[in-house]
Amino acid sequence: ETGVTQSPTHLIKTRGQQVTLRCSSQSGHNTVSWYQQALGQGPQFIFQYYREEENGRGNFPPRFSGLQFPNYSSELNVNALELDDSALYLCASSLAASGRDEQFFGPGTRLTVL
Amino acid sequence: EDQVTQSPEALRLQEGESSSLNCSYTVSGLRGLFWYRQDPGKGPEFLFTLYSAGEEKEKERLKATLTKKESFLHITAPKPEDSATYLCAVPLGGITGRRALTFGSGTRLQVQP
């Protein structure tokens, strides 16, 4: 069974640039959630994708957007980067039909905005 | 407003010194409480799910318990390799299997040899 993978591991961007982060879900999982984790804080929910559609969204502006592909992998796009976007971005996968809400996380992408 | 609060923020123990971490929640209609372990710079690793008051789960030196208002993560005779941040989370609203998780800020545990 393959776990959740994310790429790249680390990324450095400058203010105003755009970034795309990628996630492959755990084998058999059809739901992907993205979280932002600032240093010393718990993860904050950004949005979730199920069957290639956004299924819910946290308190993040529209410059945070995403996609889910037919193979359930996903992308997180952030436009017009700001310094406060520097964080660990986590992808988590789950199986919607499991009747359970556990989510399994990837290793994360560390984004630094200068 | 649904909230999850963890205490203490940080805890330093000597190897073998047992202790407990607390997670209190104010959620209307609890649909499960999850514990995760997170090593620095890594993603959270799933530990336990608890669904009802009185439920207990164990894994090696860790035991999680749940009441109607809080959960405890008991660490018995910890070892240095137990050093990590421990996060608790609850799912919010929506449909089972497609609920977002809201997390506490975590407890940073350091176990010294």
Side-chain angles (χ1 to χ4, degrees):
Chain A
E1 185 178 89
T2 306
V4 179
T5 60
Q6 293 187 242
S7 63
T9 306
H10 297 89
L11 206 51
I12 299 175
K13 292 285 188 177
T14 57
R15 266 189 312 175
Q17 285 190 310
Q18 178 266 343
V19 68
T20 298
L21 311 182
R22 296 179 174 82
C23 169
S24 291
S25 61
Q26 183 169 314
S27 175
H29 284 183
N30 57 10
T31 303
V32 173
S33 304
W34 286 92
Y35 293 82
Q36 180 195 67
Q37 187 176 24
L39 207 59
Q41 300 296 315
Q44 299 271 329
F45 175 68
I46 303 174
F47 45 55
Q48 182 182 88
Y49 277 84
Y50 171 68
R51 291 185 176 180
E52 301 178 53
E53 292 194 0
E54 188 178 290
N55 182 57
R57 189 178 186 92
N59 189 26
F60 281 81
R63 60 189 184 84
F64 286 78
S65 63
L67 285 173
Q68 186 181 33
F69 300 99
N71 66 354
Y72 305 128
S73 65
S74 178
E75 287 183 354
L76 163 66
N77 300 290
V78 187
N79 294 321
L81 284 167
E82 301 177 0
L83 296 179
D84 285 349
D85 295 334
S86 295
L88 183 67
Y89 287 85
L90 296 162
C91 166
S93 75
S94 54
L95 178 59
S98 68
R100 302 173 69 88
D101 288 306
E102 292 96 338
Q103 296 181 9
F104 298 89
F105 286 82
T109 294
R110 170 69 63 187
L111 173 64
T112 302
V113 182
L114 302 176
Chain B
E1 181 183 328
D2 295 334
Q3 277 196 323
V4 179
T5 304
Q6 292 188 246
S7 62
E9 289 186 6
L11 181 63
R12 182 178 296 181
L13 300 173
Q14 292 296 122
E15 185 172 1
E17 180 186 2
S18 301
S19 189
S20 294
L21 314 182
N22 177 264
C23 171
S24 62
Y25 59 89
T26 54
V27 176
S28 54
L30 185 67
R31 301 173 185 86
L33 185 140
F34 308 125
W35 283 98
Y36 288 85
R37 169 193 168 127
Q38 186 174 29
D39 292 306
K42 305 282 183 65
E45 173 191 349
F46 174 75
L47 292 173
F48 304 110
T49 306
L50 301 166
Y51 281 105
S52 55
E55 189 175 359
E56 297 183 353
K57 293 275 181 73
E58 286 190 63
K59 180 180 180 180
E60 296 182 356
R61 294 175 293 281
L62 301 176
K63 183 168 81 172
T65 61
L66 182 66
T67 72
K68 288 185 178 180
K69 294 184 178 180
E70 56 193 358
S71 178
F72 293 94
L73 185 65
H74 307 278
I75 303 177
T76 302
K79 298 182 177 181
E81 53 262 41
D82 295 322
S83 298
T85 295
Y86 291 85
L87 297 162
C88 70
V90 297
L92 297 179
I95 301 170
T96 303
R98 283 185 265 156
R99 296 189 180 114
L101 298 181
T102 189
F103 283 83
S105 295
T107 294
R108 295 187 309 279
L109 174 66
Q110 184 178 10
V111 181
Q112 295 184 313

